[in-house]
Amino acid sequence: MRLIDDWRLVLRKAWSVKFNVAATLFGAAEVAVAIWKPEGMPNGVFAGGAAAVSIFANVSRLMAQKELHGNDK
């Protein structure tokens, strides 16, 4: 496996990366809720959030982002 040449830029600027990090945090929150079972917290709230954010990550992966393309557009 070989990284792309501008991987540092993509890691810092790409919305798909940011959305994937958010989905990971929602997933971790769902696991924490399942373990600690706080009063009044319905099951699946954070899982639903993770699913929604994952959709945004996939859509943003296909969109052109000025931050990643410089001034070539």
Side-chain angles (χ1 to χ4, degrees):
M1 177 172 64
R2 185 173 166 282
L3 296 175
I4 59 174
D5 292 335
D6 57 349
W7 68 269
R8 287 185 181 97
L9 177 67
V10 172
L11 191 60
R12 281 182 305 165
K13 301 280 185 166
W15 279 102
S16 58
V17 173
K18 294 173 185 179
F19 283 131
N20 278 318
V21 169
T24 301
L25 294 175
F26 274 116
E30 184 65 30
V31 170
V33 166
I35 291 171
W36 289 299
K37 298 179 176 122
E39 284 285 321
M41 178 68 68
N43 290 334
V45 171
F46 291 108
V53 173
S54 292
I55 292 169
F56 290 131
N58 288 314
V59 170
S60 67
R61 182 69 180 108
L62 301 176
M63 297 173 67
Q65 298 175 41
K66 287 182 186 179
E67 299 90 2
L68 299 177
H69 294 291
N71 295 328
D72 61 351
K73 291 224 170 207

